Amino acid sequence: MAGFTDPTRRLDRLGLLLCALGAAALLFLPFMQFKANRILPGLSHSLFATLPPATALMVLAVLLAAGVAALLVADGRIRLAAALLALLALAIALHLGADALTPERNAVARVSPGSGFWLLSLVTGLLAADALMRLALRPLVRVLLLCAFFAICALALHSGTFDNLSIMREYAVNEERFGHELRTHLLLTLGSLGAATVVALPVGFICAHRARLRAAVLAGLNLVQTIPAIALFGILMAPLAALAAAAPWAAAVGIRGIGAAPAVIALFLYSLLPIVANTVAGLARVSPQTVDAARGMGMTQGQVLARVELPLALPVLLTGIRIALVQNIGLVTIAALIGAGGLGAFVFQGIGQTAMDLVLLGAIPTMVLAFSAAILLDALIESLDRVRA
């Protein structure tokens, strides 16, 4: 039958692993948890203890069908459809389970997904990612799928489908603050990346044409990358605090030992290596014959750089910016430890209060931001490569 592997061949290895993980999640891990409040330990509930038997059986049937597709089906379209149906079934089960476990008119109780739900979501997400890789979708299609994902999520959240989940209750309590911290997270990320790009591009252009300088610069930037983020924040705190104490103007513009200043400087330093290195690599792949031809046409060095080298090196250069952007989105979370703000503030507040749902309120949007940034920039890079080809 079309789309199925030869039965004499071995089962799909990735599918076998995903099925084993999914089975372990269903058999041994809780699907949902109920807590009397946000701090007390929770009571674990399996899929069948959470939902009515008929509903649980339907969800299980969809998951089993997805498992069969993962094991036996080679067609990426069928694998993707099976993964999306499994994700939909898990979302419906989560909604129904939250409504079933939440006592009426109780604003204190917390119902959250269990480890089994998260593992099943990871398994189906990996199946979907594998299907997308097999399909090799065009960049525009991937971007449209991302937009559709956000539209569906926004519709589900706006409709109140998941209001009984603990993470949504935490969001309701922190709604205004969440918007502020999200804006802070984006400003820290994009501000440090923008400053690093302005500095790293000319440094990369110079290093590409001077081998000795290139070795020294890349060695220094590699050294910065070896310093753990929290250590670099700490190293910067003392001199910035001394500067703020010695120069009132520095304190007036926000330069202090804690807060945004050390965070931005550290993120700026971390962003330099991927951009400089990829700028050098991008310029190195420009054919010398192409450069010689441009010079033979009478172009100046600046014109050769702007009209020939930079356009040809742009996909590799953007890859460096993508690496730095995704890296910074994650590192800003740690910067909350020194008072810089951002979504990490919820993560560390939740850890301090043993409120894991508050941790998720900061962690999940951070993951979504990084994932979305990677998809968008990958699509842009691939589009530029297609145009160049």
Side-chain angles (χ1 to χ4, degrees), residues 18 35 47 71 126 187 201 230 247 295 336 339-340 348 360 373 383:
L18 295 181
K35 297 188 288 186
L47 178 65
L71 282 172
L126 289 174
L187 286 173
L201 289 182
I230 193 65
R295 288 174 180 167
F348 294 109
L360 293 176
S383 297

Side-chain angles (χ1 to χ4, degrees), residues 273-292:
L273 178 62
I275 301 177
V276 171
N278 278 62
T279 301
V280 172
L283 292 173
R285 79 172 191 170
V286 177
S287 169
Q289 291 80 6
T290 304
V291 175
D292 289 340

Side-chain angles (χ1 to χ4, degrees), residues 11-21 67 70-71 79 123 126-131 133-134:
L11 299 176
D12 184 277
R13 291 183 180 180
L14 176 62
L16 190 60
L17 174 62
L18 295 181
C19 288
L21 292 174
L71 282 172
R79 292 171 74 91
V123 165
L126 289 174
L127 179 59
D130 174 68
M133 289 182 63
R134 294 180 184 223

Side-chain angles (χ1 to χ4, degrees), residues 25-161:
L26 286 170
L27 293 173
F28 305 114
L29 298 177
F31 188 77
M32 298 197 74
Q33 285 192 328
F34 171 81
K35 297 188 288 186
N37 58 51
R38 69 200 295 247
I39 298 176
L40 289 178
L43 298 175
S44 298
H45 296 266
S46 67
L47 178 65
F48 281 87
T50 301
L51 302 175
T55 305
L57 283 173
M58 286 189 289
V59 173
L60 182 60
V62 174
L63 295 177
L64 289 175
V68 171
L71 282 172
L72 302 176
V73 179
D75 192 318
R77 293 167 295 182
I78 298 177
R79 292 171 74 91
L80 180 60
L84 293 178
L85 285 175
L87 286 172
L88 178 60
L90 288 173
I92 293 172
L94 186 65
H95 158 62
L96 295 177
D99 289 351
L101 294 176
T102 303
E104 286 190 35
R105 299 177 182 177
N106 187 330
V108 179
R110 293 290 189 266
V111 176
S112 58
S115 54
F117 170 84
W118 292 118
L119 184 54
L120 286 169
S121 299
L122 174 63
V123 165
T124 51
L126 289 174
L127 179 59
D130 174 68
L132 290 172
M133 289 182 63
R134 294 180 184 223
L135 290 172
L137 299 175
R138 297 179 68 86
L140 179 59
V141 177
R142 297 204 299 269
V143 172
L144 290 176
L145 285 175
L146 179 65
C147 293
F149 168 77
F150 277 117
I152 293 171
C153 289
L155 181 62
L157 296 176
H158 182 71
S159 65
T161 302

Side-chain angles (χ1 to χ4, degrees), residues 195-223:
T197 303
V198 169
V199 173
L201 289 182
V203 171
F205 293 145
I206 294 171
C207 289
H209 297 94
R210 290 172 172 80
R212 291 183 180 178
L213 180 62
R214 176 169 66 246
V217 170
L218 292 179
L221 295 180
N222 270 301
L223 180 62

Side-chain angles (χ1 to χ4, degrees), residues 177 180-189 230 233 237 254 256-267 328 331-346 348:
R177 181 187 166 206
H180 171 73
E181 299 296 1
L182 177 59
R183 289 191 295 272
T184 300
H185 201 105
L186 292 173
L187 286 173
L188 290 172
T189 299
I230 193 65
F233 292 146
M237 288 171 66
R256 298 179 178 86
I258 60 173
V264 169
I265 294 173
L267 294 169
N328 280 9
L331 290 175
V332 170
T333 307
I334 304 175
L337 282 172
I338 58 170
L343 295 171
F346 295 113
F348 294 109

